[in-house]
Amino acid sequence: MMTSDQALIAVTQTLAKGREMGLKPLSAIVLDAGGHPLAFHRADGASPGRYAIAHGKAYGAVMLGMTGSQQMDRAEAQHYFMTAANGVFGGAVVPVPGGILIRDDAGAVIGALGVTGDTSDNDAKAGLAALAEAGLNGDA
């Protein structure tokens, strides 16, 4: 199980990792296994719309059990599937890297981290590094 303290560490460390990497201002959210927010943080200078994007990356990951990278691959191969899935979830899915599954030691999904603000690949790199700092297993 993921604690709210771990979720808070994950979002704050994501922003710190982004600064270390010289990225644009990041925003990060952690959702639990049911898709409910546990923690959110937006760096100074990040646009306010980043909440919805971070949420969409994490929400798609946790609700579909697929990383953002896997969702993007699926969208490119079978756009009709991702379009239909996004319709089922009210348009809330953002199927690109930066949607990171959080797994327990047995591999079960316990939540997701959504990161946005720089390139999607850089978002995922910062998020994975932050999850390690929080003692959580990330799958991007």
Side-chain angles (χ1 to χ4, degrees), residues 65-130:
M66 300 167 64
T67 68
S69 297
Q70 291 169 328
Q71 292 173 62
M72 187 171 79
D73 290 346
R74 187 77 180 265
E76 290 172 349
Q78 297 176 312
H79 69 37
Y80 55 85
F81 172 79
M82 287 307 299
T83 299
N86 211 357
V88 167
F89 296 118
V93 174
V94 178
V96 297
I100 303 167
L101 290 170
I102 303 172
R103 297 182 184 274
D104 65 15
D105 291 336
V109 173
I110 59 171
L113 170 64
V115 183
T116 184
D118 202 86
T119 67
S120 293
D121 289 336
N122 283 340
D123 294 344
K125 288 175 188 171
L128 282 172

